[in-house]
Amino acid sequence: MRILLVHNHYQQPGGEDQVFQAEGALLERHGHAVVRYVLHNDEVAALGPATLAARTLWSRPAYRRVAQLVRDHRIDLVHVHNTLPLGSPAVYWAARRAGAAVVQTLHNFRLVCPGALLLRDGRVCTDCVGRLPYRAVGRACYRGSRAASAGVAGMLATHRALGTWRTAVDRYIALTSFAREVFVRGGLPAERVVVKPNFLQDDPGVGPGGGGFALYVGRLSPEKGIGPLIEAWRQHPDLPPLKVVGDGPLASDVASAPVEALGAMPRERVLALMQEAEVLVCPSLAVEGMPMAVVEAFACGLPVVAPDHGAFTEMVDETTGRCVPPGDAGALAEAVRSVCRDAALREDLRKGARCRYEARYSAERNYAALHQIYHAARAAQAGPAERPRPDAALAV
């Protein structure tokens, strides 16, 4: 099969970028011809606000480029990871018009929530799910900006009216059953939304553990629960040492907390720390798609303490770690303490974490699922589609 992968990179690398790279390598390893069309948000600074808003809605450069790549490389299927803001949903229509099937991985909740995180004021918010997202504009849910939020909300509303979400994508990939339910409730056709989790391209193997420390890996920002994380270690000095890996707007808060701030680190070093740690702490307040740090921890045989909402409830249970109420520093501290103080429990959780990785998140299991999804998308493909005829605002 000849496959075109489409991805708009964020300015700060994250799990979506990792999955995009890993799936491309996996497909090539299995003999598929893979072409990549990559955009990067570093290009946004060179665009004026009006041009950026127009491209978020309908990017003529991306439309032309995807159509050309499909024709030139005789692409069978276009797999899209992220379109915001430089790709836009125009890439779906370009692929369809050129005769390729279309698959979209739903890494976050952008199609039903302009802020993408189902989060407002530190709490889960689903106000825009299944509705026109006008509330997000007044609340400045995207980047804390009403203007930017209006751009994303306008894109979502316009393509909902055009039928893009219903007709231009042959298969959507949700990362969890929870996410699938949210997207179907938000209006995506249920028969086109399938569940396939993320995976690791290379298995790091189980580590020895016994390092005597807890570990956090991720962006240092409010939605990741950095506040409750710091509070837990300030209020409970008997907890094991906490090593914090990552960077972000709350880096200075972490640096002044009673933890060891390591900053951003190469992935190889992060995995080595996971192999030594006693527990991974994921205090996220946001409803995340599928945090890759948890998948990596399971591969290393590392138990996880996580919030009891969203994807975490499907990934973490009594055999792989502990779930606690989001934002509850006391419950977070108690869960970490219980895992780290009980050697027998910790060993059971280590085995359970590794078994969960092998059962759900290995590369070979992922390829089998992805191959099946691709063939289903091609079988469901309705054939070449004409470009929609929206109003003049889209023709920019």
Side-chain angles (χ1 to χ4, degrees):
M1 195 179 297
R2 294 176 294 275
I3 301 160
L4 173 63
L5 301 181
V6 177
H7 185 48
N8 191 139
H9 286 276
Y10 300 105
Q11 287 181 307
Q12 293 192 343
E16 294 184 28
D17 304 317
Q18 183 179 339
V19 173
F20 169 73
Q21 294 168 359
E23 284 195 347
L26 179 67
L27 290 167
E28 288 174 327
R29 194 160 68 233
H30 282 270
H32 298 283
V34 178
V35 179
R36 294 165 178 81
Y37 175 46
V38 176
L39 298 152
H40 201 291
N41 279 1
D42 287 346
E43 303 170 33
V44 168
L47 303 176
T51 300
L52 178 60
R55 289 195 180 179
T56 299
L57 198 61
W58 182 275
S59 174
R60 291 185 71 182
Y63 181 95
R64 289 193 295 264
R65 184 59 177 155
V66 167
Q68 179 185 12
L69 288 170
V70 171
R71 290 192 298 267
D72 290 351
H73 295 275
R74 296 180 294 117
I75 296 295
D76 300 303
L77 181 140
V78 176
H79 185 165
V80 183
H81 286 266
N82 178 41
T83 67
L84 191 78
L86 300 173
S88 85
V91 300
Y92 307 143
W93 292 106
R96 291 288 305 282
R97 189 180 186 190
V102 179
V103 171
Q104 167 72 62
T105 294
L106 301 164
H107 289 285
N108 55 49
F109 294 94
R110 184 82 64 198
L111 294 193
V112 294
C113 168
L117 300 175
L118 298 182
L119 182 71
R120 182 168 66 91
D121 298 330
R123 298 180 182 276
V124 173
C125 174
T126 59
D127 286 354
C128 292
V129 176
R131 305 181 180 94
L132 291 176
Y134 66 87
R135 297 173 181 83
V137 179
R139 296 168 180 172
C141 290
Y142 178 61
R143 294 184 174 272
S145 165
R146 289 181 177 176
S149 298
V152 176
M155 178 272 289
L156 294 173
T158 298
H159 284 281
R160 180 176 181 177
L162 289 173
T164 297
W165 317 125
R166 298 190 307 274
T167 62
V169 179
D170 298 295
R171 284 293 182 273
Y172 292 96
I173 298 176
L175 304 180
T176 64
S177 297
F178 167 82
R180 182 184 185 277
E181 186 276 328
V182 171
F183 284 113
V184 170
R185 183 154 48 95
L188 296 190
E191 69 277 7
R192 298 190 184 195
V193 186
V194 297
V195 176
K196 181 191 74 65
N198 290 332
F199 74 107
L200 293 188
Q201 180 179 354
D202 300 305
D203 181 0
V206 177
F213 61 89
L215 182 65
Y216 169 86
V217 177
R219 180 167 164 77
L220 308 184
S221 54
E223 74 275 5
K224 294 294 187 178
I226 298 301
L229 180 72
I230 292 174
E231 184 181 354
W233 259 261
R234 280 184 174 151
Q235 293 183 354
H236 302 272
D238 61 319
L239 290 175
L242 174 65
K243 296 180 185 290
V244 177
V245 177
D247 199 0
L250 298 184
S252 59
D253 292 20
V254 173
S256 63
V259 303
E260 184 180 354
L262 300 176
M265 303 183 73
R267 184 168 177 268
E268 294 76 15
R269 180 56 184 146
V270 173
L271 292 172
L273 287 171
M274 286 184 172
Q275 290 171 329
E276 299 171 10
E278 308 291 11
V279 63
L280 181 75
V281 186
C282 294
S284 184
L285 302 176
V287 181
E288 302 195 28
M290 174 161 284
M292 289 302 296
V294 175
V295 178
E296 291 170 336
F298 286 169
C300 294
L302 179 62
V304 176
V305 170
D308 59 356
H309 65 187
F312 293 106
T313 60
E314 293 184 38
M315 301 178 75
V316 182
D317 58 25
E318 291 297 310
T319 69
T320 60
R322 292 292 183 267
C323 283
V324 299
D328 190 330
L332 185 69
E334 180 54 35
V336 170
R337 188 182 293 115
S338 67
V339 172
C340 291
R341 286 186 175 179
D342 189 332
L345 169 64
R346 192 166 62 253
E347 185 59 28
D348 286 344
L349 294 177
R350 283 170 53 81
K351 293 177 181 177
R354 178 64 191 186
C355 286
R356 183 64 53 83
Y357 165 75
E358 293 175 352
R360 296 186 184 179
Y361 308 120
S362 70
E364 291 312 306
R365 286 187 177 275
N366 189 277
Y367 175 72
L370 191 61
H371 190 261
Q372 183 176 11
I373 291 167
Y374 282 0
H375 279 280
R378 293 190 69 193
Q381 183 183 357
E386 288 299 316
R387 170 176 168 166
R389 301 296 180 184
D391 60 31
L394 285 182
V396 177

